[in-house]
């Protein structure tokens, strides 16, 4: 049987993405309480790349991770769009196929490792369970493989006989990363992997992920609220606000030429550790309630450039949703102001 | 002459028993910690989780009783006062703000209730003026229009607004000292700076002495004047924040500074040497430096003698045999 990808026409010369989200819409609840947590998101992750997805809490970044893995729970549901992995649609697949896709193709590392691990099961047994659920391997070989994986992330293989509570927070997070690697997936989703950890442990883990990525060649979707971390760690960064991608560009472009006012505000929310210390302002106001998002540009109530005095622009900003447009190679922005200044 | 410190901490120690009746041990969560909080200054207290920084804040807030040492408020030891009247008097001068603005407000009470309560309990103003004072406090922390905000319930506010309510409540009693325990770490990135700017404004306008407990070095640099670095229950470095972070003396501070994400460099270029330490360095610690297992500079004496805080530079002390050796006499 030929796979779907082979039947599809070859996509020009452009390298097809490993994972592609097209106009993805995810909703929670219904009726009056319906909230679109993800509203028309286009996102591509290429082979071997680190894509950073940044935004504040409630902007929909974790919902995207759940949608990609098809682990959304009611009342959450995918209300539109598609998710393509290696060119093939993930939506509508049978549970049995999804079980293969999860972990073997895409695995996830969550913020709280303690919640990801079973507290009453030895670490080694959890590896064995995961591996035996996906492939024919006997316990002895699975345990040997678990030992190798633990050593890959810098943990003594004898720790396989430990219970999660006997490990430090950083070690637990590394165990979860080792488990995510167990079936050598093409994509690993890191959802706030280091938020609960100290900076020293955070750096240690990120260095380890970098090294593993070099050896295994997997791609990473790195979800975090910490833009400063992504500037250092990601190849490309997408900024989310209130369910939408507002800017997407190579990481370097964010340092030199951030265009969306929200991105600019976010960058001005992190005080520097070295160099001159400017007075920072952050962004006034708070992210909107997604059950009733502002009309037009969702950022307009907090935007310093959205001024009633500029009638024509103001009207557009408050009534028309800005679309993500390419302003230069690889750099997309959804902002009426940027659009008009380019014209 | 600098004005006198309203709050002075002397050799403060707190031990928590762990284990069971047979194998009893003690975590030296806070060990011989001394510093002062001065009016109109923000002192940052940084360190990794488990270093004891929150325990220090809680000891100062009179939520724990210390195992040893003293907390002097305007010269008198308040660490062991038990009478309700004395505790109230102390709390009217020293207030604490917690990390979680969701957990620290009562969900079924309005903002007005939260800010009004301390005004009434501590009889800050005659009851006829309570309403005006509530509005004034809300305006001070940037919650406008105060009339509308006062009628709201916590769930109707954003995280940043809730934290501002907690600050307004702390300010109600006109404290001289405010202990802020990770006040921004649960807030959205874009509104954190607003809270730091508010602390700065209160420091300048009201001369409040702040203790700012955080694990975020960059925010400490942004808002604080002085910094205390804690490791395994001990202060390992203390000095002006700009100098300590630009040119740290203690190897642990150096490690912390180098681990902070720096957008200017990619991880490949900046491999930080990380050594694994014993996370239990504060459990019944043996003689010697508690950081030695992770320290790239460790020498023989580090495992034999516990280093003391030494003023290696003017107003800048560190606890390290190598970088801040004790003067020989």
């Amino acid at each position: 049987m030929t796979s779907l990808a082979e039947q599809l026409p070859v996509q020009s010369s452009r390298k097809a993405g490993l994972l592609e989200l097209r106009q993805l819409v995810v909703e929670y609840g219904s009726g009056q309480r319906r909230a679109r947590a993800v509203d028309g998101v286009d996102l591509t992750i290429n082979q071997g790349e680190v894509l950073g997805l940044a935004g504040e809490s409630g902007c929909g970044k974790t919902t995207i991770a759940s949608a990609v893995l098809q682990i959304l729970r009611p009342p959450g549901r995918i209300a539109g769009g598609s998710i393509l992995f290696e060119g093939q649609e993930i939506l509508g697949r049978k549970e049995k196929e999804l079980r293969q896709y999860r972990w073997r193709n895409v695995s996830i590392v969550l913020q709280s490792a303690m919640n990801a691990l079973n507290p009453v099961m030895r670490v080694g047994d959890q590896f064995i369970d995961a591996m035996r659920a996906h492939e024919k391997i006997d316990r002895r070989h699975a345990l040997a493989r678990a030992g190798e994986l633990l050593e890959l992330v810098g943990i003594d293989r004898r720790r396989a006989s430990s219970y999660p509570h006997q490990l430090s927070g950083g070690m637990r997070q590394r165990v979860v990363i080792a488990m995510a690697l167990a079936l050598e997936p093409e994509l690993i989703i890191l959802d706030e992997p280091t938020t609960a950890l100290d900076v020293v442990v955070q750096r240690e883990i990120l260095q380890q992920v970098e090294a593993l990525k070099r050896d295994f060649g997997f791609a990473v979707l790195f979800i975090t609220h910490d833009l400063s971390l992504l500037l250092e760690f990601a190849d490309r960064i997408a900024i989310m606000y209130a369910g939408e991608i507002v800017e997407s560009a190579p990481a370097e472009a964010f340092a030199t030429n951030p265009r969306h006012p929200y991105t600019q505000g976010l960058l001005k929310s992190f005080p520097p550790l070295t160099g001159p210390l400017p007075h920072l302002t952050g962004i006034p106001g708070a992210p909107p309630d997604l059950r009733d998002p502002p009309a037009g540009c969702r950022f307009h109530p907090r935007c310093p450039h959205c001024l009633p005095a500029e009638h024509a622009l103001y009207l557009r900003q408050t009534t028309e949703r800005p679309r993500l447009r390419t302003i230069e190679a690889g750099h997309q922005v959804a902002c009426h102001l940027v659009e008009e200044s380019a014209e | 002459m600098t004005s006198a410190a309203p709050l002075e901490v002397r050799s403060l120690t707190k031990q928590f028993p762990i284990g069971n009746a047979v194998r009893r041990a003690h975590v030296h969560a806070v060990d011989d910690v001394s510093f002062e909080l001065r009016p109109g200054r923000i002192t940052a207290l940084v360190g990794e989780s488990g270093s004891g920084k929150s325990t220090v804040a809680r000891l100062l807030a009179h939520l724990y009783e210390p195992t040893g040492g003293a907390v002097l408020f305007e010269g008198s030891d308040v660490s062991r006062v038990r009478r309700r009247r004395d505790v109230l008097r102390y709390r009217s001068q020293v207030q604490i703000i917690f990390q979680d603005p969701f957990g620290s407000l009562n969900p079924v009470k309005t903002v007005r209730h939260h800010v009004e309560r301390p005004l009434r309990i501590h009889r800050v103003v005659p009851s006829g003026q309570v309403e005006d004072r509530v509005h004034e406090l809300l305006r001070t922390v940037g919650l406008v229009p105060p009339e509308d905000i006062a009628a709201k319930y916590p769930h109707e506010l954003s995280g940043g607004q809730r934290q501002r309510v907690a600050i307004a409540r702390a300010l109600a009693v006109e404290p001289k000292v405010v202990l802020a325990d990770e006040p921004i770490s649960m807030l959205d990135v874009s509104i954190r700076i607003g809270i730091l700017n508010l602390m700065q404004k209160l420091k300048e306008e009201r001369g409040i002495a702040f203790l700012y407990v955080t694990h975020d070095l960059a925010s400490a640099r942004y808002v604080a004047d002085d910094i205390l670095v804690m490791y395994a229950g001990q202060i390992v470095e203390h000095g002006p924040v700009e100098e300590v972070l630009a040119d740290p003396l203690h190897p642990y501070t150096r490690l912390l500074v180098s681990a902070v994400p720096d957008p200017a460099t990619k991880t490949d270029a900046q491999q930080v040497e990380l050594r694994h330490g014993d996370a239990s360095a504060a459990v019944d610690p043996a003689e010697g430096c508690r950081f030695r297992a992770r320290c790239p500079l460790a020498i023989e004496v580090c495992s034999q003698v516990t280093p003391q805080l030494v003023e290696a530079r003017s107003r800048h002390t560190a606890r390290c045999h190598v970088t801040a050796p004790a003067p020989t006499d």
Side-chain angles (χ1 to χ4, degrees):
Chain A
M1 196 185 97
T2 51
S3 75
L4 193 61
E6 285 162 26
Q7 293 164 17
L8 286 170
V10 181
Q11 290 192 340
S12 69
S13 59
R14 194 174 69 90
K15 196 175 69 178
L18 177 66
L19 181 82
E20 275 186 64
L21 310 185
R22 290 192 189 153
Q23 285 301 307
L24 185 70
V25 177
V26 183
E27 293 180 344
Y28 289 95
S30 56
Q32 283 282 300
R33 300 189 59 82
R34 193 177 66 174
R36 284 202 163 179
V38 175
D39 198 354
V41 162
D42 289 313
L43 202 62
T44 303
I45 302 169
N46 297 311
Q47 233 123 34
E49 111 179 311
V50 179
L51 175 71
L53 184 59
E56 299 179 86
S57 47
C59 73
K61 51 195 196 305
T62 294
T63 300
I64 285 187
S66 307
V68 167
L69 277 169
Q70 290 288 284
I71 50 173
L72 274 172
R73 290 201 185 154
R77 66 182 178 284
I78 292 173
S82 62
I83 300 173
L84 305 175
F85 184 81
E86 291 180 332
Q88 300 187 42
E89 181 62 70
I90 297 302
L91 302 183
R93 280 204 196 174
K94 292 196 190 75
E95 189 57 28
K96 195 178 155 211
E97 294 168 335
L98 285 174
R99 266 206 297 276
Q100 286 304 311
Y101 158 77
R102 293 178 198 135
W103 223 317
R104 186 175 290 289
N105 293 132
V106 183
S107 62
I108 187 164
V109 175
L110 298 160
Q111 176 171 359
S112 170
M114 201 55 199
N115 297 344
L117 295 171
N118 184 338
V120 295
M121 210 171 157
R122 292 177 200 276
V123 165
D125 290 333
Q126 305 196 36
F127 273 92
I128 293 170
D129 259 18
M131 282 186 249
R132 282 166 63 93
H134 286 87
E135 53 191 15
K136 285 197 170 62
I137 180 170
D138 63 57
R139 291 185 61 87
R140 203 164 51 86
H141 283 98
L143 192 60
R145 176 103 181 98
E148 286 167 26
L149 287 161
L150 286 176
E151 291 194 338
L152 270 180
V153 297
I155 293 176
D156 192 316
R157 60 167 64 220
R158 285 171 300 189
R159 286 294 197 164
S161 60
S162 298
Y163 287 96
H165 76 266
Q166 294 170 313
L167 308 175
S168 69
M171 284 170 95
R172 284 198 289 261
Q173 199 57 285
R174 276 181 280 144
V175 166
V176 175
I177 290 171
M179 288 180 77
L181 288 170
L183 301 174
E184 302 192 10
E186 287 91 350
L187 173 66
I188 296 186
I189 301 174
L190 302 175
D191 187 3
E192 302 269 10
T194 57
T195 303
L197 304 172
D198 294 302
V199 286
V200 176
V201 183
Q202 165 175 293
R203 174 152 302 265
E204 198 173 53
I205 286 178
L206 293 184
Q207 285 180 358
Q208 215 133 39
V209 170
E210 282 262 313
L212 292 167
K213 192 174 86 72
R214 274 195 298 273
D215 296 346
F216 286 80
F218 50 80
V220 176
L221 172 60
F222 191 155
I223 298 173
T224 179
H225 66 279
D226 190 346
L227 187 52
S228 62
L229 202 59
L230 292 182
L231 291 175
E232 191 185 331
F233 192 69
D235 299 314
R236 245 170 1 107
I237 301 174
I239 308 285
M240 259 192 112
Y241 185 77
E244 302 172 324
I245 305 277
V246 296
E247 184 161 9
S248 157
E252 308 84 60
F254 282 91
T256 54
N257 190 24
R259 296 303 302 274
H260 198 283
Y262 176 63
T263 312
Q264 293 170 348
L266 266 189
L267 287 164
K268 282 189 209 129
S269 300
F270 294 97
L273 190 64
T274 54
L277 199 58
H279 178 79
L280 300 175
T281 49
I283 305 173
D289 182 349
L290 289 175
R291 283 170 305 196
D292 184 22
C297 169
R298 292 186 177 172
F299 185 62
H300 87 256
R302 301 174 76 187
C303 182
H305 305 293
C306 185
L307 306 169
E310 295 180 39
H311 304 294
L313 182 60
Y314 185 76
L315 189 68
R316 274 191 87 188
Q317 285 168 329
T318 53
T319 56
E320 184 191 325
R321 257 178 90 176
R323 303 177 73 90
L324 207 54
R325 283 171 206 269
T326 301
I327 54 162
E328 55 189 54
H331 192 161
Q332 286 138 13
V333 187
C335 175
H336 292 309
L337 185 75
V338 172
E339 211 175 283
E340 301 220 334
S341 62
E343 278 162 10
Chain B
M1 190 192 128
T2 50
S3 40
L7 201 67
E8 193 184 336
V9 177
R10 277 199 202 147
S11 302
L12 197 63
T13 299
K14 178 68 183 175
Q15 298 177 1
F16 292 105
I18 53 169
N20 51 40
V22 185
R23 300 177 71 184
R24 165 86 54 210
H26 286 88
V27 180
H28 293 228
V30 174
D31 196 354
D32 193 19
V33 164
S34 302
F35 62 90
E36 339 175 303
L37 299 178
R38 293 182 170 278
R41 285 187 85 81
I42 297 177
T43 303
L45 177 58
V46 303
E48 58 193 15
S49 47
S51 62
K53 55 190 195 302
S54 278
T55 307
V56 168
R58 274 146 210 244
L59 284 166
L60 297 193
H62 211 277
L63 297 173
Y64 294 145
E65 193 164 295
T67 311
V71 177
L72 304 180
F73 182 73
E74 293 179 335
S76 56
D77 187 4
V78 291
S79 59
R80 284 168 191 81
V81 297
R82 285 235 176 80
R83 281 201 313 200
R84 182 174 157 79
R85 203 183 62 193
D86 296 336
V87 173
L88 268 185
R89 203 183 77 81
Y90 177 67
R91 292 219 172 115
S92 72
Q93 302 291 326
V94 180
Q95 284 280 311
I96 185 163
I97 300 162
F98 294 100
Q99 177 176 7
D100 182 3
F102 300 78
S104 62
L105 300 176
N106 185 339
V108 299
K109 300 287 188 187
T110 59
V111 169
R112 175 180 293 108
H113 170 90
H114 286 96
V115 182
E116 193 177 84
R117 227 170 111 77
L119 291 174
R120 293 193 192 278
I121 291 174
H122 293 276
R123 300 174 203 280
V124 183
V125 289
S127 45
Q129 293 169 28
V130 165
E131 181 83 12
D132 285 347
R133 182 58 68 88
V134 167
H135 291 168
E136 188 191 319
L137 283 162
L138 291 176
R139 255 192 298 272
T140 303
V141 298
L143 291 172
V144 285
E147 296 78 12
D148 295 356
I149 300 276
K152 289 190 190 249
Y153 289 89
H155 74 266
E156 298 177 277
L157 304 176
S158 70
Q161 289 176 316
R162 265 178 278 219
Q163 199 58 291
R164 285 172 193 266
V165 171
I167 295 172
R169 174 175 62 179
L171 294 178
V173 296
E174 296 169 11
K176 291 188 171 147
V177 178
V178 172
L179 311 165
D181 187 4
E182 301 263 14
I184 61 167
S185 59
M186 284 182 72
L187 302 181
D188 269 324
V189 175
S190 67
I191 52 184
R192 290 180 179 179
I193 286 288
I195 299 290
L196 297 181
N197 287 343
L198 175 60
M199 281 169 57
Q200 201 122 46
K201 183 182 101 162
L202 294 169
K203 161 195 116 163
E204 282 160 14
E205 291 175 1
R206 302 188 169 215
I208 293 173
F210 274 98
L211 180 69
Y212 172 50
V213 179
T214 183
H215 63 273
D216 178 0
L217 290 185
S219 75
R221 175 178 182 240
Y222 181 75
V223 75
D225 303 289
D226 302 298
I227 190 167
L228 295 154
V229 183
M230 267 188 103
Y231 184 77
Q234 296 177 318
I235 302 283
V236 295
E237 188 155 2
H238 181 193
V241 69
E242 199 59 41
E243 182 182 319
V244 169
L245 295 181
D247 191 10
L249 282 169
H250 198 280
Y252 176 62
T253 317
R254 291 178 187 173
L255 175 64
L256 273 184
V257 169
S258 66
V260 173
D262 182 359
T265 44
K266 298 286 271 182
T267 24
D268 301 7
Q270 193 197 3
Q271 288 286 327
V272 175
E273 195 198 346
L274 302 157
R275 295 194 194 188
H276 287 283
D278 194 352
S280 57
V283 179
D284 286 339
E287 187 68 17
C289 174
R290 292 183 190 175
F291 187 63
R292 66 179 184 274
R294 298 171 72 182
C295 183
L297 306 178
I299 52 176
E300 208 182 332
V301 67
C302 302
S303 56
Q304 295 155 357
V305 182
T306 306
Q308 299 301 309
L309 275 171
V310 172
E311 188 167 3
R313 299 185 195 139
S314 167
R315 291 193 60 240
H316 184 168
T317 57
R319 192 187 283 278
C320 177
H321 287 305
V322 179
T323 60
T328 46
D329 37 31

